[in-house]
Amino acid sequence: MTSLNHYALGAVVDWMHRTIGGLSALEPGYRRVRIAPQPGGGLTSATLRHDTRHGAISIAWALENGAVSVGVVVPEGVEAEVVLPLHPEGDSAIMVGAGEHFWEYALAEGAAERRSYSLDSTLRQIADDALAWKLFTEAFSAHYPGVPLDGSAPEAAAMSVRTMLDFVPGASEQLRSDLTVALEAASQGA
């Protein structure tokens, strides 16, 4: 048996939960959560179950035959902000309470290939796009001048921006907002 308490394995599981499954806590004890799965890298489906003190949170998504399906189970006492992946209308958040929730929608033409960046994008994804990296690092440097960022460093490449900000001392809401604006501009090719 392998212990997931070791950082080398636990970090992988944490990344899979936050990125592939899209689950992150917005409040202590998972009273409020964000569910924002990120299909990509050849993955066409994933399921996630995470036990909390309120009960199990479950997430399942799939890309099949030009359609996206997303199902979530939210336990009593938990509120979830759900961001539907590759939605034709963009990354609008839907707030849901306890219960089983299901969405199915057609995948917009070329949506799987579209480059869209958000705080849930990994540093590698952003660094691989010259414009996105330029806009991202300019926004970051306005708050932390002289602090270097390396989106290809092994310890950072698979980390989402949202996760990275958890490790930045004093990361303000203004920094999050500025990075969001920069990534939205990069998504539009501005």
Side-chain angles (χ1 to χ4, degrees):
M1 190 64 165
T2 302
S3 170
L4 294 180
N5 289 331
H6 190 280
Y7 178 77
L9 299 173
V12 173
V13 172
D14 179 64
W15 176 81
M16 291 172 73
H17 273 234
R18 289 180 187 242
T19 305
I20 298 171
L23 178 64
S24 56
L26 295 177
E27 287 185 13
Y30 288 84
R31 285 181 300 213
R32 284 188 61 240
V33 298
R34 176 179 169 87
I35 299 172
Q38 293 191 45
L43 291 177
T44 58
S45 66
T47 60
L48 165 76
R49 177 190 160 106
H50 184 77
D51 292 324
T52 73
R53 64 183 219 82
H54 302 284
I57 297 172
S58 298
I59 303 164
W61 62 263
L63 302 174
E64 291 181 307
N65 303 321
V68 179
S69 61
V70 178
V72 301
V73 177
V74 179
E76 286 293 330
V78 176
E79 182 180 50
E81 172 187 351
V82 180
V83 179
L84 299 173
L86 304 172
H87 196 276
E89 296 176 14
D91 290 341
S92 60
I94 302 164
M95 298 303 292
V96 298
E100 295 184 28
H101 308 278
F102 185 77
W103 298 268
E104 189 169 37
Y105 47 92
L107 188 60
E109 183 89 20
E113 292 82 34
R114 177 179 59 201
R115 289 186 180 201
S116 179
Y117 302 105
S118 70
L119 294 182
D120 295 312
S121 299
T122 66
L123 292 176
R124 164 77 71 194
Q125 290 168 330
I126 298 166
D128 285 348
D129 181 320
L131 174 63
W133 189 247
K134 176 182 181 293
L135 296 173
F136 177 79
T137 55
E138 285 173 354
F140 186 84
S141 294
H143 294 266
Y144 292 92
V147 174
L149 290 175
D150 183 356
S152 62
E155 65 277 7
M159 186 180 296
S160 73
V161 175
R162 190 177 306 281
T163 301
M164 178 200 80
L165 290 172
D166 290 343
F167 296 103
V168 174
S172 67
E173 284 305 313
Q174 186 61 52
L175 170 60
R176 291 175 193 276
S177 176
D178 290 350
L179 292 176
T180 298
V181 168
L183 293 171
E184 286 172 355
S187 297
Q188 297 167 4

